[in-house]
Amino acid sequence: MRLAPVAAAVAMILSGCGVVDPGVAVHQDLNNNTHCAPEKFLVGQLTERLALQSEEEGLRGLIWPSSYKFRWSPGLVTGHYAVLDENGGVVAVTGARYKIGGLEFVAAGNAFWVCGGLTPQ
């Protein structure tokens, strides 16, 4: 009977329910994009560090809306992040390509402020 809690914990880990990879620092906007309208679009692959590897500009750090959540899902070889919107819907996963709208944010180490949505490419 003591195995039931252990089995439940293992099942949650294997299914990726709320497991967070402690090695990634997520940068989020403190005012949830209330003053952001996209002026630029970047296309590239979302990396395992929740940055964008853009064809035009190389690796760009991203500042996400504060209402977004991030779920780490471990895999057999490697894991991935799912980016969830304010309603809990998946808007992006690491390893996939997206067109992302936003603004340049020089004050944050030349990061890109995500505020124009993510479109799969």
Side-chain angles (χ1 to χ4, degrees), residues 16-91:
C17 294
V19 178
V20 177
D21 177 15
V24 175
V26 176
H27 301 283
Q28 290 185 276
D29 172 23
L30 297 178
N31 65 8
N32 201 29
N33 295 345
T34 56
H35 302 293
C36 181
E39 293 179 352
K40 181 177 183 176
F41 290 88
L42 297 177
V43 176
Q45 183 177 15
L46 188 61
T47 72
E48 69 277 354
R49 309 297 285 171
L50 294 169
L52 187 74
Q53 183 65 46
S54 166
E55 287 89 5
E56 302 89 17
E57 300 185 15
L59 188 64
R60 295 294 304 270
L62 299 174
I63 300 173
W64 298 93
S66 61
S67 61
Y68 279 22
K69 305 293 181 226
F70 306 89
R71 182 178 64 216
W72 172 251
S73 296
L76 295 177
V77 178
T78 62
H80 71 275
Y81 270 103
V83 180
L84 311 174
D85 65 13
E86 57 276 354
N87 299 316
V90 175
V91 295

